[in-house]
Amino acid sequence: MNRVRKAVFPVAGFGTRFLPATKAMPKELLPIIDKPIIQFAVEEAAAAGITTMVFVTGRSKRSVEDHFDSNFELEHALSSKGRDAEAKMVHEIVPPHVKCVFVRQPEQLGLGHAVLCAKPVVGDEPFAVLLADDFMVQNTGSATADLVAAYEATGKSMLCVSKVAADQISKYGVIDPGSQHHSVGIDVRGIVEKPSPDEAPSLFASFGRYVLDGSIFSRLENTAPGKGGEIQLVDAINALALEGDVRALEFMGDRYDCGDKLGYLKAITAVALDSKEFGADYRSFLADLTR
């Protein structure tokens, strides 16, 4: 069984919902207090044992590469002023054993196309996909670590799913689950995009974490472009599902959609309330503010 050692981060989008903030700064670098959204996702992947981070970027995303690159001048400036802890933090944005690779997506042609752009780096290995906009936390471990363990136990591509309310189901891609029960994961017969509540095959919505077998690339290469000329990842996943090669794992934590302004604010609030440094003071501030 191949181990999952690579992760793909599609980060080429314009982030138009956060204009004008994202006119010059990638949305992935928007901070959750003092750490960019994308760094949380990279740390999640590294904690799951992944050692190669593949960023699929666009022409306006050079600052994402700069964030994960060394900055000797800043480190030296901090060290020379005795701020060694901060210098160490900057130096260790990624652990020393982790490699970052940047691939250009020349044109935004859908999530499937973005993932396909990573093929020259990933090859035929299994790999994780993390959509940083989905800020996901759970009490122990992480969604990515759980998906990696499930893939390595079963050899099946794994989707991260969570139950949503029926009146919200039309916002999501929803899995059509099989009837067979397994000790690891739920069989997936397909994904239905944004169904009405009456047409939804389940209440399990798919969110932005995947572990995919390398065979997904051949499915993507044979996926016809859809609306707007885009290649959709869900179409390739459905092709694998028809062969019985896809399962889903239920996520038992909290998810915040940082591609949405309210979701982004909720993520900041959740992290702030959990802070050992100022969580109690922030909680008191919110109580006073809402009194």
Side-chain angles (χ1 to χ4, degrees):
M1 179 67 64
N2 286 336
R3 305 294 298 275
V4 181
R5 290 293 177 259
K6 295 177 180 177
V8 174
F9 301 85
V11 293
F14 290 126
T16 53
R17 280 185 284 181
F18 282 87
L19 287 170
T22 51
K23 179 177 181 288
M25 179 177 70
K27 66 174 180 177
E28 294 81 13
L29 293 183
L30 291 173
I32 304 291
I33 304 179
D34 58 356
K35 187 184 295 184
I37 295 170
I38 186 64
Q39 190 174 333
F40 282 95
V42 168
E43 289 176 356
E44 179 182 328
I50 289 167
T51 55
T52 300
M53 312 294 175
V54 186
F55 299 86
V56 181
T57 70
R59 67 179 63 191
S60 63
K61 300 301 181 88
R62 177 60 187 268
S63 51
V64 174
E65 183 172 351
D66 290 342
H67 178 74
F68 289 104
D69 199 1
S70 299
N71 188 328
F72 298 110
E73 294 84 358
L74 176 58
E75 292 172 31
H76 176 73
L78 291 169
S79 296
S80 66
K81 296 177 181 178
R83 297 165 67 177
D84 294 333
E86 291 165 282
K88 184 174 185 290
M89 175 188 65
V90 170
H91 183 71
E92 296 178 354
I93 289 291
V94 292
H97 68 281
V98 169
K99 177 171 65 175
C100 294
V101 181
F102 295 86
V103 177
R104 179 69 63 89
Q105 184 183 19
E107 187 177 359
Q108 292 182 33
L109 295 175
L111 178 58
H113 180 259
V115 171
L116 186 56
C117 287
K119 181 184 177 182
V121 179
V122 175
D124 59 359
E125 298 179 35
F127 62 101
V129 177
L130 293 89
L131 307 184
D133 280 358
D134 278 326
F135 186 82
M136 304 172 77
V137 292
Q138 58 187 40
N139 290 332
T140 58
S142 71
T144 298
D146 291 345
L147 293 171
V148 166
Y151 174 85
E152 292 180 352
T154 65
K156 306 287 186 181
S157 290
M158 303 298 300
L159 313 180
C160 178
V161 299
S162 186
K163 281 188 175 179
V164 299
D167 62 354
Q168 299 293 307
I169 203 72
S170 60
K171 298 179 180 179
Y172 304 104
V174 180
I175 68 163
D176 180 5
S179 58
Q180 189 173 355
H181 296 278
H182 302 278
S183 59
V184 179
I186 306 164
D187 274 335
V188 175
R189 292 184 294 203
I191 302 176
V192 180
E193 281 290 344
K194 300 181 178 180
S196 68
D198 293 338
E199 297 173 334
S202 74
L203 294 178
F204 282 113
S206 175
F207 293 122
R209 300 290 187 275
Y210 313 80
V211 169
L212 302 172
D213 189 75
S215 60
I216 194 75
F217 288 124
S218 64
R219 305 321 190 274
L220 286 168
E221 288 169 336
N222 290 289
T223 296
K227 184 178 179 181
E230 295 189 345
I231 297 173
Q232 299 301 337
L233 181 61
V234 67
D235 292 337
I237 291 174
N238 279 337
L240 285 181
L242 288 173
E243 299 170 13
D245 287 334
V246 180
R247 290 186 189 175
L249 204 63
E250 186 173 5
F251 173 66
M252 307 300 290
D254 296 312
R255 168 190 169 267
Y256 305 96
D257 180 5
C258 288
D260 169 81
K261 292 175 185 176
L262 180 58
Y264 175 60
L265 289 172
K266 288 179 179 179
I268 293 172
T269 299
V271 173
L273 289 174
D274 195 49
S275 169
K276 294 179 181 179
E277 179 184 354
F278 50 75
D281 289 341
Y282 188 64
R283 190 179 300 275
S284 177
F285 164 74
L286 289 180
D288 290 342
L289 192 66
T290 56
R291 187 169 295 145

